[in-house]
Amino acid sequence: MILNKKEDKQMEILKLKPVFKDYIWGGTRLRDEFGFETDMDPVAEGWMLACHRDGMNTVDGGAYDGKTLEEVIEQTGSETLLGKKSCAFSDFPLLIKLIDAKNDLSIQVHPDDEYAKRVEHESGKTEIWYVLDADEGARLIYGFKKEISKEEFKNAIESNTLLDVLNSVEVKKGDLFFIEAGTVHAIGKGTLIAEIQQNSNSTYRVYDYGRLGKDGKPRELHIKKAVDVTVTKPPKYGTKPQGGKEAVAGGARTLLTSCPLFTVYRYEADGELELFADEDSFEHILVTGGSGRINGRAFKKGDSFLVPAGFGIYTISGKAEIIVTKI
């Protein structure tokens, strides 16, 4: 999909239907707690904003009901829907997920833009994890304990001693992890996460706890590629949101992260909250708790909306927790 400029008119706010994934480590919380309707068991991921070859949202209601997000972009023009900053990207810029890890995910790493475009023909993958909930004692893998060489990393994989050199971190609700491309990582069991990432599905698995896939065979490892792209150092970032909680009219907000790829805020709406989508970027709304209305349209926990670039002021009313992302 090539992003382009086509129409020049204001559009309606789009409600998006999620795409679900049934990876073996998933659980039932996305169905049980968010009310998503799917026959998948387990339900590991809900792709809440997705315009990718491996998953594509469709629009729920309104003038574009039933159309895929890609079809809406092609019909309206990317700059109209996505904003001026979209012109810097060859494809849709973001992928946003809800992740329910009933069991440990594989230990993995993602390539940067240069490597991914050359080898995988898509963007690299830098992402953030915002922890919505975590069992007591839940942990995840985040980089290395200390700097090691590429050769030492390869030897640790092959000798089954990788866990000895990786940085294991206890995780709790409200933590924020910035997973820069090249950072070895793994979500641990008992965590519920909102993930905001570059629009890429390139993942190199380096360790999988000896598990078998649905076909009864060990899942594929990608050791050579992982060694190529991994930054074999401790993580550069902490585990807290970038900003502190601040009061705003109609609630409160916290800056989760701001980087050249995306800016993400968490809002706690309590009454009537006014937000603003300028011409530079669309805004994505992910409802992670509570209920209310967006410009008069009812929403509940788990709903996902795309506010077109240049929409201007829109209103969140009710008592709800939302994550707002823009490029």
Side-chain angles (χ1 to χ4, degrees):
M1 180 185 66
I2 302 300
L3 300 188
N4 57 81
K5 182 175 181 179
K6 204 166 188 179
E7 296 182 0
D8 187 18
K9 64 180 181 179
Q10 188 185 64
M11 292 179 54
E12 63 189 38
I13 295 174
L14 305 177
K15 184 179 180 183
L16 304 176
K17 292 182 179 179
V19 176
F20 299 107
K21 302 292 183 178
D22 61 349
Y23 306 132
I24 61 174
W25 43 262
T28 62
R29 296 184 70 174
L30 297 186
R31 184 175 58 241
D32 298 345
E33 298 178 22
F34 287 80
F36 292 137
E37 296 181 2
T38 173
D39 294 331
M40 288 185 180
D41 188 19
V43 190
E45 296 182 351
W47 288 22
M48 312 308 296
L49 177 64
C51 189
H52 190 276
R53 60 178 179 257
D54 295 333
M56 179 76 62
N57 296 136
T58 55
V59 177
D60 183 3
Y64 299 95
D65 184 46
K67 290 185 179 293
T68 68
L69 185 51
E70 184 174 53
E71 287 172 337
V72 177
I73 293 169
E74 289 175 348
Q75 182 174 335
T76 63
S78 59
E79 188 173 327
T80 298
L81 180 62
L82 306 181
K84 294 177 180 178
K85 287 185 177 179
S86 67
C87 297
F89 298 86
S90 59
D91 293 297
F92 192 83
L94 295 176
L95 178 57
I96 296 177
K97 305 175 182 177
L98 288 171
I99 299 175
D100 172 24
K102 182 178 180 180
N103 295 295
D104 293 328
L105 275 70
S106 62
I107 296 172
Q108 55 192 237
V109 65
H110 307 301
D112 63 15
D113 281 339
E114 185 280 326
Y115 190 95
K117 288 176 181 177
R118 175 168 51 87
V119 176
E120 308 295 347
H121 310 294
E122 68 171 354
S123 297
K125 186 174 175 182
T126 286
E127 62 194 2
I128 66 166
W129 296 337
Y130 179 69
V131 181
L132 299 173
D133 198 15
D135 292 347
E136 185 175 355
R139 306 186 72 83
L140 55 78
I141 299 296
Y142 187 41
F144 291 81
K145 293 178 181 177
K146 64 178 184 178
E147 183 173 357
I148 64 174
S149 68
K150 295 269 192 180
E151 186 63 27
E152 288 172 317
F153 175 44
K154 184 172 181 291
N155 289 340
I157 297 170
E158 294 175 343
S159 64
N160 202 31
T161 59
L162 181 61
L163 294 176
D164 296 339
V165 299
L166 295 178
N167 181 39
S168 176
V169 182
E170 189 168 351
V171 60
K172 60 184 182 299
K173 182 177 180 179
D175 285 348
L176 186 286
F177 292 84
F178 189 90
I179 313 293
E180 196 167 37
T183 303
V184 171
H185 59 277
I187 298 173
K189 63 182 179 181
T191 53
L192 180 68
I193 282 175
E195 179 178 279
I196 292 91
Q197 58 162 93
Q198 288 180 271
N199 189 23
S200 171
N201 205 28
S202 292
T203 297
Y204 303 147
R205 190 181 298 123
V206 296
Y207 183 76
D208 199 32
Y209 305 95
R211 289 183 294 202
L212 303 180
K214 293 180 180 180
D215 60 1
K217 299 177 181 179
R219 296 202 295 170
E220 182 183 5
L221 301 182
H222 313 93
I223 296 174
K224 182 184 183 305
K225 289 180 177 179
V227 172
D228 285 345
V229 306
T230 296
V231 178
T232 53
K233 297 179 181 180
K236 295 189 293 185
Y237 307 98
T239 61
K240 301 299 178 187
Q242 191 172 330
K245 185 175 178 178
E246 57 180 340
V248 296
R253 72 175 184 179
T254 302
L255 174 64
L256 299 185
T257 196
S258 181
C259 70
L261 297 168
F262 40 71
T263 296
V264 188
Y265 281 93
R266 178 179 183 267
Y267 283 87
E268 299 169 55
D270 188 5
E272 195 164 284
L273 182 70
E274 285 192 347
L275 302 178
F276 185 85
D278 63 26
E279 293 182 351
D280 285 342
S281 175
F282 68 93
E283 298 196 349
H284 179 259
I285 310 296
L286 175 60
V287 184
T288 58
S291 62
R293 292 182 176 275
I294 179 169
N295 272 20
R297 183 176 186 179
F299 66 73
K300 64 184 186 306
K301 182 178 178 179
D303 281 347
S304 167
F305 298 90
L306 190 152
V307 182
F311 190 88
I313 295 172
Y314 61 100
T315 302
I316 305 291
S317 57
K319 195 172 182 64
E321 300 161 9
I322 63 173
I323 293 175
V324 181
T325 304
K326 62 182 180 180
I327 57 174

